[in-house]
Amino acid sequence: MPEKRDYYEVLGIDRNAGDEDIKKAFRKLAFQYHPDHNGDAGATDKFKEINEAYEVLSDANKRAAYDRYGHDGGRDFESFDFGLGDIFEAFFGGTSTTARQSPEKGQPLHCIVDLTLEEAAFGVEKELPITRIEYCTECQGTGAKVGTQPVRCTACNGTGQIKRTQASVFGRFTNITACPQCRGEGRVVTEFCPKCKGNGREKKQRTVSVKIPAGISNGMQVRFRSEGNAGYRGGPSGDLFATVQVQEHKLFKRDGDDIRYELPVNFAQAALGTEVDVPTLDGDAKLKIPAGTQTNSVFRLRNRGVQRLNERGRGDELITIHVMTPDSLTKEQRQLFEKLSESLGKSKKNSKS
């Protein structure tokens, strides 16, 4: 991105210039580079640069900030959106506004799609009910009654534009605006379509089939082109944006592309070791628990997690062991635990001797 020029240099004035000097310099340069009178390449950018410099230097507070901090510190004026005609209109009474006749893309639509963890992990095709604006099925978007056609606008002679020439001390300036009678269309409807009342568009209930990619996460947005509202003046339809909402799973917690599962085991299983069936996104799988496993130990089942979004491979399933303490015992179980406790206690004493 090119470095900004000094605003005083842009207007061709020194740093001690007064308000009238600033205004006079701006008038001269704005007339010279205004797009209505200067067709040279770069004239539009030059005119914007002149506007920006004047906007800052003509305001005492912005000028003081600029003099002190330069471009880097002048936050108050760096974010302005300078229109080609705004300041010019204030000085000369004319604008460079042009009519909007070109095709225009339709407005986007937004919806929420609910997914299970499995659907988010592996992808799914969904049927989404939406309400969108489409071209009227009776008049095909013309707005005119069937059997009739829009006619040329007499106010603008079909151009969609109204031109007004205005004289000033700097010469003659032409102000171009959209025709108010046809709204820039160049045509007007004499007999309205009874179905859409001349609008050319109507609301429709539709069911859209969409493919949700594998590995998508909660809160992500998927874009489906041309599934939004119909365009204007033959323009393309807008897009549909679906925000994903992944439901909580009763067994698993998602952790990026991995999933986590908590497995309860009893004292005997943890002490002696065992092999158990654990649930995964693909069904049950065997897990070997070695003897002496402690609570909060984590085991990994590779490639049992979520499909990586737009990549090959899957995450893993991480299984956290929780050794459960029984809250009630039968008489026989209590006797066994007492013997075990006595045995463990003797072993502990013997190990110290």
Side-chain angles (χ1 to χ4, degrees):
M1 187 174 181
E3 184 177 350
K4 283 188 176 183
R5 289 202 299 154
D6 180 82
Y7 287 146
Y8 292 97
E9 179 186 339
V10 170
L11 295 183
I13 57 178
D14 61 43
R15 292 187 171 271
N16 297 320
D19 292 343
E20 286 302 318
D21 294 327
I22 294 172
K23 187 178 294 186
K24 183 178 179 180
F26 170 74
R27 283 176 180 268
K28 180 181 177 181
L29 293 171
F31 175 77
Q32 180 181 351
Y33 290 101
H34 194 279
D36 282 351
H37 304 280
N38 191 326
D40 293 344
T44 297
D45 291 337
K46 182 70 174 178
F47 186 72
K48 287 182 178 179
E49 184 183 42
I50 294 165
N51 271 346
E52 182 176 330
Y54 177 75
E55 184 73 20
V56 172
L57 298 184
S58 63
D59 183 291
N61 292 331
K62 295 172 187 172
R63 183 179 180 181
Y66 176 72
D67 288 342
R68 184 172 183 180
Y69 301 109
H71 293 296
D72 293 335
R75 289 190 175 185
D76 289 340
F77 49 83
E78 280 191 352
S79 61
F80 287 171
D81 182 12
F82 297 96
L84 290 181
D86 296 340
I87 298 179
F88 199 80
E89 182 177 10
F91 274 99
F92 309 129
T95 70
S96 61
T97 306
T98 57
R100 297 173 62 185
Q101 282 187 294
S102 59
E104 187 178 340
K105 187 174 182 177
Q107 294 295 314
L109 288 179
H110 299 267
C111 69
I112 292 176
V113 54
D114 289 314
L115 301 179
T116 64
L117 177 58
E118 288 84 357
E119 289 173 334
F122 303 123
V124 67
E125 188 166 325
K126 285 281 189 177
E127 300 291 324
L128 302 181
I130 62 172
T131 301
R132 69 183 177 195
I133 296 175
E134 300 180 357
Y135 289 122
C136 174
T137 53
E138 186 165 325
C139 69
Q140 305 303 314
T142 67
K145 182 180 178 181
V146 175
T148 69
Q149 291 291 331
V151 298
R152 178 181 294 182
C153 175
T154 57
C156 65
N157 198 31
T159 65
Q161 300 176 341
I162 297 294
K163 297 182 180 180
R164 293 186 178 89
T165 301
Q166 188 173 359
S168 76
V169 294
F170 298 98
R172 298 172 65 83
F173 296 92
T174 301
N175 181 30
I176 304 174
T177 60
C179 175
Q181 182 167 305
C182 66
R183 299 179 182 178
E185 299 282 348
R187 303 179 304 164
V188 292
V189 175
T190 55
E191 293 186 68
F192 289 149
C193 168
K195 187 173 184 180
C196 66
K197 304 296 187 290
N199 187 42
R201 295 143 61 88
E202 59 182 340
K203 284 186 177 182
K204 286 287 187 179
Q205 304 290 329
R206 297 293 187 193
T207 299
V208 179
S209 180
V210 298
K211 290 184 178 180
I212 306 297
I216 198 163
S217 299
N218 187 57
M220 282 186 174
Q221 202 172 64
V222 186
R223 178 182 184 180
F224 303 101
R225 296 185 182 277
S226 302
E227 294 291 358
N229 292 323
Y232 300 89
R233 296 179 291 279
S237 296
D239 300 327
L240 171 65
F241 294 88
T243 301
V244 169
Q245 195 166 272
V246 182
Q247 303 165 6
E248 288 191 8
H249 199 279
K250 62 181 181 180
L251 296 178
F252 306 119
K253 294 288 185 183
R254 183 170 175 176
D255 183 3
D257 293 328
D258 298 331
I259 61 170
R260 292 186 175 274
Y261 175 67
E262 296 188 357
L263 176 66
V265 298
N266 60 44
F267 279 136
Q269 290 174 313
L272 302 175
T274 186
E275 184 176 80
V276 296
D277 289 327
V278 294
T280 73
L281 293 175
D282 306 289
D284 288 349
K286 295 290 185 181
L287 175 68
K288 288 185 178 180
I289 300 176
T293 294
Q294 303 297 308
T295 194
N296 291 327
S297 297
V298 178
F299 296 93
R300 184 182 298 268
L301 292 178
R302 297 196 176 278
N303 298 313
R304 292 286 189 162
V306 175
Q307 172 68 44
R308 293 188 174 89
L309 184 63
N310 299 324
E311 295 181 19
R312 292 183 178 181
R314 293 171 59 178
D316 303 327
E317 179 171 336
L318 305 176
I319 302 165
T320 301
I321 301 297
H322 288 287
V323 181
M324 306 300 291
T325 302
D327 54 7
S328 62
L329 297 171
T330 64
K331 183 177 180 180
E332 182 181 2
Q333 289 171 336
R334 177 174 291 277
Q335 291 173 346
L336 292 172
F337 268 109
E338 287 174 349
K339 290 181 180 180
L340 177 61
S341 176
E342 183 180 352
S343 173
L344 291 173
K346 288 180 179 180
S347 298
K348 188 176 181 182
K349 289 179 182 179
N350 291 337
S351 65
K352 290 182 179 180
S353 58

